């Protein structure tokens, strides 16, 4: 019997579950670039370039190690090249590692192939899907903090015996400094495109369907060696100061001390436990501040694993969640940041157009926050996030956007909506200084939209929000606003939508 392996575009490492079970010297392997997948939404050009270039480099790596690799470029779909490859190689059984994304699993299920497909359990994450489900079934609440602490205990990360290092699980209080008196920021690594990447870039530029963003500044790593270099740079230059300023936002500063590691984790070029162990080792050997290391570990061992677990736990209807009933269309300026005169949005959206990247607070407290309080459809927002970011996949964007960013699931994932006025953005960034809107006004001619949308959001959804204990303080502040001013706030919000102001 001849077994063949189909490697998907986000499974690019030698230890992935299907590859690790076979002798590559006599196992045919196939990778396929699908134009049908590229047409699903107007993806960022850098995202397509990153995936396809990483796939081509990985295929070359496998070939150099002696594997019989078939690489199919720019196929119309998966089915035709798979059938040709199966026939040409006399493949009797096709192995594929279980996709991380549910829609891709459905695609595989519906393929018309002459042989059986064996789906190997996914080892892309620290927790398997079955392990998360076992944990979830024993819980009355699926709170990330509980899951994170269990992960720390289970894998012995930043632990002193049974107790957390430093005597605390959480160093959030130390990790929310505003951008004042900042030390010098490091410049993120930039990788000049090689011949393979330049060829992919040229092809992406020529694709005959709508795409998003610029390719002019493409500098992502496309190999495991490059991804490892990014990780080492982060450990050396960024992690020591990462914690305190991880929520800060500064004009012209795209990355601050963030590592830009998520695209490589999500492609398989880096492994999550590998990254966590490297951060822990750096803490032990380089005398790094515990709050910085814990803050980073929380993002990988905590949020990333929790998002993946929740995605596998919920049913397919989760994507349609819309607890607030929001149905506003996505403003055009999300696709062209120059069309908004709100400086915070213009800064972040222009950055996303250039790089396909924004750090977690820019995503949560600028982009998702605006979408939430202004009443934009959760599905439209999730679809944009999925298209716009180089690290976006179904498994991570659904729970992050639908659950965390937009609270559209009504509280399965978060305990309160991440809604805020201009006051938060002014405190955690310098964006308000370069803006024509008044960050302190909520009804005047120059009132910041974050203000009137925030208070209008609270007023419109008071009955739902009062069921959430953590919203009591905000609702008490709402009750202090004069009814006439609330009417003026509602009118400002309605006027903004009527005139499509941005």
């Amino acid at each position: 019997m001849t077994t063949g392996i189909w490697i998907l575009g986000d499974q690019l490492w030698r230890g992935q579950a299907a590859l690790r079970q076979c002798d590559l010297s006599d196992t045919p392997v196939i990778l396929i670039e699908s134009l049908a997948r590229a047409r699903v939404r107007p993806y960022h050009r850098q995202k397509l370039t990153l995936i396809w270039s990483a796939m081509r480099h990985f295929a070359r790596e496998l070939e150099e190690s002696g594997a019989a690799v078939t690489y199919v470029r720019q196929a119309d779909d998966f089915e035709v090249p798979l059938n040709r490859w199966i026939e040409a190689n006399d493949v009797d059984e096709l192995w594929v590692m279980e996709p991380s994304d549910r829609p891709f699993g459905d695609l595989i299920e519906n393929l018309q192939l002459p042989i059986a497909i064996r789906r190997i359990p996914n080892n892309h994450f620290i927790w398997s899907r079955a392990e998360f489900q076992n944990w979830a079934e024993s819980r009355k609440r699926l709170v990330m903090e509980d899951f994170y602490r269990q992960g720390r205990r289970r894998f012995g990360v930043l632990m002193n015996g049974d107790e957390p290092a430093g005597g605390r699980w959480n160093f959030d209080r130390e990790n929310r400094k505003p951008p004042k008196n900042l030390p010098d920021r490091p410049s993120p690594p930039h990788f000049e495109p090689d011949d393979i990447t330049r060829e992919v870039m040229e092809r992406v530029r020529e694709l005959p369907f709508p795409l998003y963003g610029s390719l002019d500044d493409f500098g992502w790593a496309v190999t495991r060696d490059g991804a490892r270099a990014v990780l080492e740079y982060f450990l050396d230059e960024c992690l020591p100061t990462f914690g305190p300023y991880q929520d800060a936002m500064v004009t012209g500063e795209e990355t601050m001390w963030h590592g830009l590691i998520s695209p490589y984790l999500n492609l398989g070029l880096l492994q999550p436990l590998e990254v966590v162990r490297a951060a822990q080792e750096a803490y032990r050997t380089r005398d790094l501040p515990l709050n910085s290391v814990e803050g980073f570990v929380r993002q990988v061992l905590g949020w990333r694993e929790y998002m993946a677990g929740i995605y596998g736990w919920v049913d397919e209807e989760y994507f349609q969640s819309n607890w607030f009933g929001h149905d506003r269309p996505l403003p055009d300026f999300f696709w062209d940041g120059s069309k908004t005169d709100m400086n915070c949005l213009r800064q972040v959206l222009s950055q996303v157009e250039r790089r396909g990247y924004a750090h977690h607070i820019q995503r949560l407290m600028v982009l998702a926050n605006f979408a939430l309080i202004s009443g934009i459809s959760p599905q439209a927002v999730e679809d944009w996030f999925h298209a716009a970011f180089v690290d976006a996949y179904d498994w991570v964007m659904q729970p992050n956007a639908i659950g965390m960013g937009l609270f559209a699931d009504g509280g399965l994932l978060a305990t309160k909506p991440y809604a805020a006025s201009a006051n938060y953005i002014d405190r955690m960034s310098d964006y308000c200084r370069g803006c024509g809107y008044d960050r302190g006004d909520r009804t005047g001619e120059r009132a910041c939209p974050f203000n009137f949308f925030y208070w209008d959001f609270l007023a419109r959804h008071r009955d739902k929000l009062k069921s959430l204990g953590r919203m009591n303080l905000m609702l008490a502040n709402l009750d202090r606003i004069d009814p006439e001013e609330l009417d003026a706030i509602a009118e400002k919000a309605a006027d903004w939508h009527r005139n499509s102001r941005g």
Side-chain angles (χ1 to χ4, degrees):
M1 175 177 286
T2 299
T3 297
I5 298 177
W6 177 19
I7 300 174
L8 306 184
D10 60 349
Q11 301 177 352
L12 307 179
W13 80 104
R14 297 291 296 272
Q16 64 113 303
L19 281 177
R20 69 191 299 180
Q21 297 188 40
C22 293
D23 179 358
L24 289 182
S25 64
D26 59 4
T27 302
V29 173
I30 187 169
L31 296 91
I32 304 169
E33 298 172 4
S34 168
L35 294 177
R37 293 297 297 172
R39 289 189 184 98
V40 169
R41 48 179 58 86
Y43 288 112
H44 202 295
R45 290 174 177 85
Q46 294 203 23
K47 180 175 185 175
L48 291 181
T49 300
L50 173 61
I51 294 172
W52 287 343
S53 180
M55 288 173 64
R56 294 185 186 191
H57 281 87
F58 185 63
R60 185 176 68 176
E61 176 189 329
L62 292 177
E63 286 178 335
E64 290 174 349
S65 68
V69 179
T70 298
Y71 193 95
V72 182
R73 302 183 180 189
Q74 311 292 297
D76 288 334
D77 57 24
F78 293 111
E79 193 168 286
V80 171
L82 279 172
N83 275 303
R84 290 174 178 167
W85 171 74
I86 288 167
E87 182 178 0
N89 292 273
D90 293 323
V91 173
D92 300 297
E93 185 177 53
L94 174 60
W95 287 15
V96 62
M97 187 170 85
E98 185 72 34
S100 301
D101 286 358
R102 188 177 288 116
F104 210 106
D106 295 340
L107 181 152
I108 292 175
E109 193 70 29
N110 293 318
L111 287 173
Q112 300 298 309
L113 302 178
I115 61 174
I117 301 177
R118 180 182 174 190
R119 292 160 68 154
I120 310 299
N122 189 303
N123 65 343
H124 194 94
F125 303 94
I126 299 173
W127 289 70
S128 72
R129 190 161 290 180
E131 289 169 339
F132 183 90
Q133 290 177 348
N134 288 337
W135 174 83
E137 287 170 353
S138 67
R139 313 291 300 183
K140 292 183 178 180
R141 61 176 195 169
L142 302 183
V143 178
M144 196 286 290
E145 182 67 24
D146 297 341
F147 173 76
Y148 170 62
R149 294 183 184 188
Q150 181 65 21
R152 292 266 298 273
R153 293 188 185 98
R154 178 184 173 191
F155 297 101
V157 176
L158 300 181
M159 299 293 294
N160 291 325
D162 294 332
E163 297 299 319
R168 290 161 50 192
W169 294 101
N170 189 315
F171 288 82
D172 279 354
R173 286 196 304 271
E174 289 88 342
N175 289 347
R176 292 172 177 163
K177 287 188 177 182
K180 297 178 180 178
N181 303 315
L182 291 173
D184 292 338
R185 274 82 72 199
S187 298
H190 180 93
F191 297 83
E192 285 299 318
D194 62 8
D195 290 343
I196 293 176
T197 302
R198 285 195 296 271
E199 182 181 352
V200 174
M201 292 170 69
E202 193 61 33
R203 180 59 181 133
V204 168
R205 288 190 177 101
E206 295 172 351
L207 290 175
F209 43 82
L211 295 173
Y212 167 70
S214 171
L215 264 179
D216 293 343
D217 192 31
F218 186 89
W220 298 98
V222 291
T223 65
R224 172 162 171 79
D225 285 346
R228 283 288 310 179
V230 173
L231 175 60
E232 287 302 318
Y233 184 87
F234 171 72
L235 297 175
D236 289 339
E237 304 296 333
C238 304
L239 185 55
T241 315
F242 168 77
Y245 300 107
Q246 64 177 293
D247 289 1
M249 300 173 283
V250 175
T251 300
E253 298 281 349
E254 297 182 352
T255 59
M256 303 290 282
W257 287 273
H258 291 265
L260 285 78
I261 291 170
S262 57
Y264 312 121
L265 284 170
N266 294 354
L267 284 172
L269 298 178
L270 292 174
Q271 299 308 304
L273 194 56
E274 165 193 27
V275 168
V276 169
R277 296 292 190 210
Q280 177 170 254
E281 184 64 17
Y283 167 66
R284 290 173 174 168
T285 60
R286 306 184 198 182
D287 195 29
L288 299 185
L290 179 57
N291 64 301
S292 284
V293 178
E294 189 277 321
F296 175 69
V297 167
R298 175 178 293 271
Q299 290 192 357
V300 182
L301 183 61
W303 273 114
R304 185 178 188 272
E305 292 295 312
Y306 182 66
M307 293 294 113
I310 288 291
Y311 179 79
W313 175 256
V314 300
D315 59 32
E316 295 186 15
E317 301 303 314
Y318 184 83
F319 173 68
Q320 301 302 327
S321 300
N322 194 350
W323 196 60
F324 293 115
H326 287 166
D327 59 4
R328 298 281 185 183
L330 191 76
D332 289 344
F333 60 70
F334 268 75
W335 298 107
D336 182 355
S338 68
K339 291 183 177 180
T340 177
D341 56 2
M342 298 171 65
N343 189 49
C344 58
L345 285 170
R346 185 171 64 248
Q347 292 290 335
V348 177
L349 289 168
S350 297
Q351 173 182 320
V352 176
E353 287 177 54
R354 289 192 305 273
R355 294 294 308 280
Y357 171 83
H359 72 63
H360 69 280
I361 292 299
Q362 291 173 317
R363 301 188 198 198
L364 178 65
M365 298 308 299
V366 177
L367 301 179
N369 180 21
F370 179 83
L372 169 66
I373 61 179
S374 65
I376 300 172
S377 159
Q379 286 66 44
V381 177
E382 193 274 341
D383 204 46
W384 180 85
F385 268 75
H386 197 151
F389 288 101
V390 296
D391 58 359
Y393 295 87
D394 197 64
W395 68 265
V396 66
M397 276 306 158
Q398 277 199 25
N400 260 302
I402 298 294
M404 185 179 181
L406 302 170
F407 204 78
D409 63 5
L412 172 68
L413 193 150
T415 55
K416 73 175 183 67
Y418 282 88
S421 68
N423 182 57
Y424 176 89
I425 296 172
D426 183 43
R427 183 171 72 253
M428 296 307 300
S429 79
D430 65 354
Y431 296 153
C432 295
R433 300 175 198 169
C435 189
Y437 290 105
D438 184 347
R439 63 184 181 273
D441 192 2
R442 52 195 181 197
T443 59
E445 180 64 27
R446 295 175 54 243
C448 176
F450 271 93
N451 288 337
F452 56 73
F453 277 136
Y454 172 72
W455 294 107
D456 183 57
F457 166 77
L458 295 182
R460 285 185 293 115
H461 298 298
R462 181 196 301 263
D463 289 343
K464 281 182 174 289
L465 295 172
K466 69 183 181 183
S467 68
L468 307 172
R470 294 187 65 193
M471 294 299 295
N472 289 339
L473 177 60
M474 284 72 90
L475 294 178
N477 291 333
L478 176 70
D479 291 338
R480 296 188 182 97
I481 300 177
D482 185 272
E484 290 186 2
E485 186 177 1
L486 283 179
D487 289 341
I489 287 170
E491 182 59 28
K492 288 287 292 185
D495 179 68
W496 192 94
H497 285 302
R498 279 194 297 267
N499 294 293
S500 298
R501 292 179 61 183

